[in-house]
Structure formats: C-alpha cells, structure tokens
Amino acid sequence: MVGTWRRAGALVVSTVLGATLAGCGSDDSGADAGTLTVLHHQPYESADPQRIYVGAQLAHFRRLVYRSLVAFPMSEDEVEASTPVPDLATDTGTSRRGGREWSFTLKDGVTWEDGSELTCEDVRYGTSRSFATDVITGGPTYMVNRLDVPRDRSGRPVYRGPYSGVGQRHFDRAVTCEDDTITFRFAEPWVDFPLAVAATMMVDPYRESEDQGARSQWRVFSNGPYRVEGGEWSRTEGATLVRNEEYDSATDSPEELRRALPDRIEMVVEASETAGELFNERLIEDAPADRRSITIARVGPAQLPRLTGDVARRYVRSPSPFTGFLVPNTERLDDVAVRRALALATDTEGWVTALGGERVAEPSENLVNPSIPGWTELDAFSGSNSGDPETARDMLRRAGVRTPVPLKVAYLGGPTTDKAMAALKAGWDAAGFETTLDPLGATYYDVISRRDDEYDLTWAGWAADWPTMAAVLPPLFDSRPNFSPGSCGQNFGCYQSEEFETLVDRALAATDVEEQTRILQEANEVLARDVAYIPLEVSTTSWVHGSEVTGFTVTAASNHFPEIGLIGVED
C-alpha cells in the first residue's frame, strides 16, 4: 500500500484537515438514541467491494455490509488480529499443490439483503469482476496477476472479465465451484492467500443479477448486519446504515468479527482542507450533538496538547501499519558509498521531532513495519538516530567522492513536512551534500514514479496489504513488475538487483509462510547493504471520540482505524 494512509497499491494522502458540518444529531440536545455518527474528512472512492482499497473504507465495509470467505478478528492482540478466522467459509481454506490451489467451503444459510441465498457462484462471479480492468477500476489486481490464466504477448491475461466474456473458458478452469466449495488455482504458489483474502475484498461475493458494471460503483447489496438505506452510497455525502433484516447472526461470529451494536449508523462525508481538524475540535469539546460521534481523521499535532483531563479518557493512541522512508535514485546516485554516507547522515530523530515527537512517530531502522512477522533490526541502519555527518563526510572523502554532492529531494509538501525535511537537510549538508528541497503536491506519486524525474532522493510511505513481508519488499523493489519504458512504478529509486530478485523468486515459490519470511529477511539485508532505502519513522496515530461512544478501540484488523465492529453508543 503506497501512499500515506491507504491499503495496498493506490494512494490517498493522510491529513487531519477537513470542514465543519452543520450538525449530526437529531437536535441540539444530542444524537438519536441508538445512532452512531461517523465523520469522514475524505470522500469515498467506491462502495463496490472489488474497487474498495482504502484502509478505513476496507475496515468499515467489511464489518458492516460485506462479508468475505475469511476475515481478521477484532482482537486488540496484534498476532490474533492478524490471523484469519472463518467468515463466510467453514474454515480458513485447504491448500494443495504446494500453495498453488486453495479451496473454501461456504456456510449454509447466508443470505443477501433481499433474502436470496449467497452461493459459491456469487464468490466466483465477484472474483471475475477484477479482470474487467476497463470497467472495475481502482481495486487490487492480485487475482488478475496471480490466477492461473494464460497471458497474451503483452503480458495481459487473455480473460477480460464477465462483461465481455473474452477468454471466459480460461477463468472457468482457474476458479471452479463444486456444490458449496470454491477452488482457486494459481500459476505460482500463494502460501499466504488466506491473509490476502482477509485483508482485501478482491474475492468478495457479488450477485450477478445486481451488477450494473461501471454504474455499480456506489450501489450496495449487503450480506452483512447493516444495509444502506436506499441502496446507494453518496461519494460526497455518505449514507445511512440500518439493520439488515435478512442477516442471520447464527451464520456469523459476532463476538469475533462484528458485534453490530448501534441500531443506526450515519456515515457523514464532508471533505475539505479543514474538516478533519474541525471534526476533532468538536469531539474534544464534546458538545451534546457530538457525544455519539467518532471520526476517521487522526488528531493533528497541534491538538495533541489538549488531550488531557476528561479528554484523555476519550483518547486512544495506537501504532500505525505505515512506515515512512527515503528512496535514493540508484541510477543517479549509482555509487553505493554515496548512498551509505547519505544514510549515515540522516537525522531520523530530528525528522520525528519536527513531525510532532513520540505521539506522532518513532524512528525506524527497517522499512518493514514492526507489526509484520519477520521484522528485525538491520545493522546497516542501527547507528545513531541523530545521524553522524562527520563520519559520513569522511566516508565520502575516503571513497574519492568530490564534494559537495548535489542532492535534489522530492517530498510531499506541507508546513509539518517542510520543517521535518529541513532537519534532514541540515545533516546532509554538514556531511558534504548540497541539498535542494522540492515539496510537491497532490500528484506526488505520479511524478516520482517517472524514470526521467529529476530527483536524487524521494520520500515515500508504505503499509503492507496483508501482514507478511511478501506484501512489502517485492512490490517496492522488484524491478520486473514495476519497470516500463517511462516509469519505475512503485520502485521509486529504479533499483535493480539480480541477487535480490533471485531471493524474491525463491520466497514466492516457498511452500509455507515461515520459509518465505526467512528468505525475505535475507532479501531485506541485500536492500539494506545496497541502501535501496533509508528508513525514517513508524507512524503513531491518535484518536478522540464522543463521551457517549462505547467500546472504542483500534486494532490491526481495522487497519489501525477505529474498530467499528466493537463500537456502540450508550442507551
């Protein structure tokens, strides 16, 4: 998941900024009994399961209106919350052929909101939709890339999705239904497939008769405990969720996956540059109309000092799955000695202090987030977090590098990041670099993906789509899926290493997750040795909620957003 606060692949900029609302309660005295209000400071991208790919939206839709074969439980224990349990399926899947084949059997009695039975064919049809890349846009493409479907000369699957029917017979061999059992066949082993299913919505069921193709982007046909009133989600306004009368909790695991406590949920979207800040201001003030409200906007650094007294009892701080890091352009900074000196001079403590201190982030010595199994401290980055410009300058001198070394740096601009980058620039310049900072705007990732960009160093953020190292290192540093004539893709430093990619191939061919992790730890040591990245920080998030909200917590299963499956309101 590239970007600042986004699940896998696509980008959404994290901000605590956004706009006020006129009021979310029934009147000035407070909110409706049994109603939870959720304040969103960013517009939704979609309500279509195969297109949903943003952290908070994945967390909310999965708990409220959509179910999948397996899901992550609502545990506050990091390991439990990252271990799939059955949801629509009777178990967490059966693997054959060394991880090239996975089968799941559906539970009996699960229905859609109209009372019709949810079937194996619904899961199969939902999976097929991702192949219609001209119609279903914005979601994860893992199934498109990994199912055992032949490819044409351009490398594109010959199956074009259910709307055209082109290549249908190939998909029909790759994904099959036998009674209530669905089987997926992959071209290569996919040993962590259940984790990918639990983390994304790419194989969620979809009723073919309800599908309107591109026009289905905002339609919601529920199989969860709530349904959308009127059936349509508004990108810019949100939706009202009410009880789904056809949902049977006996087919579910409410205590593990979704308690569905509020009688009604008002999803309110108000997107602007100040909405998030003002939402949190209202929750800190705790006026009657906001006491049964939460927001997906994190508390900003300027508001953190106010989380004291009574407000402190309504404040939750949690780790984030995101890691911030720097990426040297290995084609421009082709001397590894220069990259090592750059890493040595990087003042990560100064960076974190400028971001807002320990309430906002902690220095990192690995691109892999500590929540991911296989995380270790890397010797290459385990020196002083305050940087060592003097030793870095000496390293450049001994390598025969002429100083000052020009260093043009791209990053996502803003008042806080401007200050944080200035702290890094001071250390780099003291080490013998001549640093030029170039803050960029909303099209940031499009710019730094270009092969011909002008930057020697770029900032990036990443969170794994699911909790394995395979969802971190290969997507970022394997040149083969990333490189094209004009772009380095998500491999922002255009890094290419036969040694690293050989290890990736071995890891992805592994027959169990433990073996895969061990090989990728070795691959990460190669990246660190080559200084393919420089770790900066692991983010920390802060949340505040209204005083009549109950069960407020944040879990790894909710992508470290408020765990809406546990949240209720006082009677």
Side-chain angles (χ1 to χ4, degrees), residues 97 100 145-149 185-189:
R97 298 172 56 230
R100 288 178 172 83
N145 295 332
R146 301 193 70 164
L147 269 178
D148 191 9
V149 172
R185 297 171 181 85
F186 302 107
E188 301 292 339

Side-chain angles (χ1 to χ4, degrees), residues 513-567:
V513 175
E514 290 74 18
E515 181 187 5
Q516 181 186 85
T517 298
R518 180 185 58 77
I519 297 169
L520 287 175
Q521 286 176 320
E522 187 178 345
N524 201 15
E525 293 284 357
V526 173
L527 295 175
R529 181 200 67 202
D530 292 347
V531 196
Y533 68 84
I534 301 170
L536 284 177
E537 94 286 343
V538 176
S539 302
T540 302
T541 54
S542 298
W543 311 90
V544 66
H545 59 84
S547 59
E548 295 179 7
V549 170
T550 63
F552 189 97
T553 190
V554 176
T555 71
S558 64
N559 299 324
H560 294 272
F561 284 90
E563 179 54 86
I564 202 163
L566 293 172
I567 292 173

Side-chain angles (χ1 to χ4, degrees), residues 266-316:
E266 296 288 350
M267 292 286 192
V268 179
V269 176
E270 182 70 24
S272 79
E273 291 186 353
T274 56
E277 182 179 8
L278 293 170
F279 286 160
N280 278 300
E281 185 68 25
R282 285 167 45 183
L283 294 179
I284 290 170
E285 293 294 333
D286 199 36
D290 296 315
R291 289 176 183 169
R292 293 178 177 172
S293 297
I294 66 172
T295 181
I296 65 162
R298 297 160 181 79
V299 179
Q303 293 171 311
L304 291 174
R306 300 187 57 202
L307 303 181
T308 59
D310 175 67
V311 181
R313 292 190 287 272
R314 299 184 284 109
Y315 156 57
V316 173

Side-chain angles (χ1 to χ4, degrees), residues 347 350-355 414-425 437:
D347 181 4
W351 167 266
V352 166
T353 299
L355 291 179
T416 301
T417 52
D418 290 347
K419 184 169 63 172
M421 272 294 170
L424 297 183
K425 172 179 162 58
L437 301 179

